[in-house]
């Protein structure tokens, strides 16, 4: 499935990932207080379409205080699953007792999850890390507390909060959680390519994998993964025609979602990811940074054909 990514997992990105087979996707983490305030930017994050299903929303909160109001607001939108973030390592988040800070307070996390499970009509899941730091690995205990709260599945990123997004993924820690729990455990961390995804399944026995950075500029990773695990076939990466058509389609979805004025700026980072690793394309990325116009951006995308390695 597609893992939640702040600043990335918007509806256009989810739709593109689904076109290539991602069976489940999430919004980025959204603070319960922002939802309750119903500001414009947050409301935009809550919007989805019938093709954008099943969809999970990921919530961020330090305690259970604002949750009831949040669920009221959310009842006006369509979600299939409610995920709670106890994994985000950003200091801005953890300083306020949210995200990975809750790994240090398993009882508090359990009571938040209990409230969510009690009040929500949707299945509730949680996303955790292996622990706060190397000296306080406690994912197994956290997982047992969370299971006790009645959640339906657990997502685990196999790194500590201190590791952030670098350093090695601890497959053993994920396996310990998988072995201890009855509910499905979905593993995250360096699921960047088919061999690494295969390794994740093999070493942890996990029930599923969440793909994050591996999907940036590479929605085809879902097709490759599904073809391999469901049909036993190896799929080639996209030919240049498909690559260009997909980038254009993604661009179009972004423009529709955000409007042309904001859309071009928002799409730039995706274009960078789509072209990363394609030899000689730096000048195209530079050009993309210099234009605010849709027609010129489309021309830049077409120019990619010149860099086709085949
Ligand atoms: C840009 C970015 C934003 C992220 N935002 C979130 C988020 O909002 N919620 C969350 O649970 N994880 C978030 N993550 C973590 C990913 O979901 C994933 O667990 C992590 O990147 C490890 O997977 P990977 O090594 O395959 O990228 C984010 C990761 C990245 C790179």
């Amino acid at each position: 499935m597609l893992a939640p990514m702040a600043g990335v997992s918007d509806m256009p990105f989810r739709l593109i990932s689904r076109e290539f087979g991602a069976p489940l996707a999430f919004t980025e983490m959204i603070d319960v207080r922002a939802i309750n305030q119903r500001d414009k930017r947050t409301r935009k994050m809550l919007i989805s379409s019938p093709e954008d299903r099943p969809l999970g929303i990921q919530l961020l909160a330090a305690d259970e205080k604002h949750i009831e109001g949040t669920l009221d607001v959310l009842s006006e939108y369509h979600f299939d699953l409610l995920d709670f973030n106890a994994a985000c390592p950003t200091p801005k988040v953890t300083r306020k007792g949210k995200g990975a800070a809750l790994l240090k307070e398993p009882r508090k996390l359990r009571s938040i999850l209990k409230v969510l499970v009690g009040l929500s009509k949707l299945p509730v899941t949680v996303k955790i890390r292996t622990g706060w730091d190397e000296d306080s690995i406690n994912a197994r205990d956290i997982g047992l507390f969370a299971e006790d709260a009645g959640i339906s599945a657990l997502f685990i990123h196999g790194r500590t909060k201190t590791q952030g997004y670098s350093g090695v993924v601890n497959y053993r820690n994920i396996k310990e959680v998988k072995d201890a729990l009855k509910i499905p455990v979905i593993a995250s961390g360096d699921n960047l390519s088919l061999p690494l995804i295969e390794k994740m399944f093999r070493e942890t026995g996990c029930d599923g994998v969440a793909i994050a950075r591996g999907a940036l500029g590479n929605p085809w990773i879902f097709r490759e993964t599904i073809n391999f695990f469901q049909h036993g076939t190896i799929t080639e990466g996209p030919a240049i025609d498909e690559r260009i058509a997909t980038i254009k389609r993604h661009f179009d979805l972004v423009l529709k979602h955000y409007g042309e004025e904001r859309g071009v700026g928002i799409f730039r980072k995706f274009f960078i990811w789509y072209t990363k690793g394609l030899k000689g394309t730096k000048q195209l990325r530079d050009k993309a940074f210099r234009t605010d116009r849709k027609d010129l951006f489309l021309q830049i995308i077409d120019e990619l054909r010149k860099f086709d390695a085949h």
Side-chain angles (χ1 to χ4, degrees):
M1 56 204 73
L2 175 65
M5 279 183 279
V8 180
S9 305
D10 55 8
M11 182 161 76
F13 185 65
R14 298 194 301 260
L15 288 174
I16 285 290
S17 301
R18 289 180 195 279
E19 281 183 18
F20 292 100
L24 171 63
F26 293 86
T27 65
E28 63 181 87
M29 60 183 184
I30 312 179
D31 198 299
V32 290
R33 294 215 301 218
I35 294 174
N36 296 4
Q37 283 159 7
R38 296 175 188 258
D39 65 272
K40 204 171 151 197
R41 203 172 148 257
T42 308
R43 275 187 283 139
K44 189 110 196 145
M45 289 182 189
L46 301 176
I47 292 170
S48 67
S49 69
E51 305 81 55
D52 190 21
R53 311 270 155 79
L55 177 62
I57 174 165
Q58 193 186 59
L59 300 179
L60 193 63
D63 50 48
E64 49 274 80
K65 250 185 260 154
H66 304 281
I67 284 176
E68 196 161 3
T70 304
L71 294 181
D72 276 348
V73 178
L74 293 184
S75 65
E76 296 162 26
Y77 296 86
H78 181 108
F79 291 105
D80 304 284
L81 198 142
L82 222 151
D83 187 41
F84 186 77
N85 183 313
C88 179
T90 311
K92 214 172 80 187
V93 168
T94 56
R95 264 202 305 268
K96 294 184 186 138
K98 301 172 198 174
L102 288 164
L103 298 173
K104 292 204 231 178
E105 300 191 76
R107 284 187 175 75
K108 189 171 185 192
L109 178 60
R110 176 172 60 185
S111 62
I112 299 173
L113 293 175
K114 265 195 180 155
V115 170
L116 273 173
V117 170
L119 292 176
S120 171
K121 293 190 190 74
L122 305 175
V124 175
T125 59
V126 71
K127 165 97 175 275
I128 66 169
R129 283 178 174 247
T130 54
W132 180 263
D133 60 20
E134 205 46 43
D135 299 322
S136 57
I137 303 270
N138 61 350
R140 186 178 168 278
D141 289 347
I142 296 268
L144 288 168
F145 270 88
E147 190 172 67
D148 183 54
I151 60 159
S152 303
L154 177 134
F155 295 84
I156 175 165
H157 178 186
R159 292 187 172 93
T160 61
K161 123 80 195 160
T162 314
Q163 278 181 294
Y165 294 96
S166 56
V168 292
V169 169
N170 193 322
Y171 295 90
R172 193 170 37 84
N173 288 160
I174 300 177
K175 184 174 185 330
E176 281 161 9
V177 175
K178 167 61 198 163
D179 289 346
L181 301 194
K182 295 182 207 70
I183 54 172
V185 171
I186 292 102
S188 171
D190 283 357
N191 290 324
L192 303 170
S193 64
L194 207 47
L196 282 166
I197 292 170
E198 207 271 324
K199 180 175 182 193
M200 180 63 91
F201 275 115
R202 185 164 28 86
E203 298 216 359
T204 69
C206 64
D207 299 286
V209 293
I211 298 177
R213 286 174 293 187
L216 300 177
N218 185 23
W220 305 283
I221 194 170
F222 295 104
R223 182 170 66 192
E224 275 174 51
T225 305
I226 285 166
N227 283 349
F228 182 74
F229 287 100
Q230 289 187 352
H231 312 297
T233 53
I234 298 285
T235 318
E236 295 256 323
I240 191 68
D241 284 344
E242 186 181 28
R243 186 178 288 274
I244 289 176
T246 305
I247 299 174
K248 282 189 177 171
R249 168 134 182 78
H250 190 170
F251 185 44
D252 187 51
L253 289 168
V254 166
L255 296 180
K256 283 206 177 93
H257 191 64
Y258 295 104
E260 204 168 315
E261 209 177 321
R262 280 189 71 201
V264 175
I266 286 172
F267 191 69
R268 275 194 201 113
K269 62 174 180 278
F270 290 101
F271 184 71
I272 307 281
W273 285 320
Y274 278 116
T275 55
K276 225 173 98 186
L278 290 181
K279 250 192 149 141
T281 50
K282 184 177 179 299
Q283 47 152 311
L284 282 191
R285 288 191 286 278
D286 291 344
K287 258 197 204 174
F289 265 97
R290 286 195 300 267
T291 185
D292 288 321
R293 277 174 47 188
K294 173 189 164 183
D295 55 342
L296 293 181
F297 213 108
L298 281 168
Q299 279 176 23
I300 296 170
I301 297 173
D302 271 324
E303 280 185 57
L304 267 178
R305 202 174 297 279
K306 289 194 246 159
F307 298 90
D308 183 15
H310 299 287

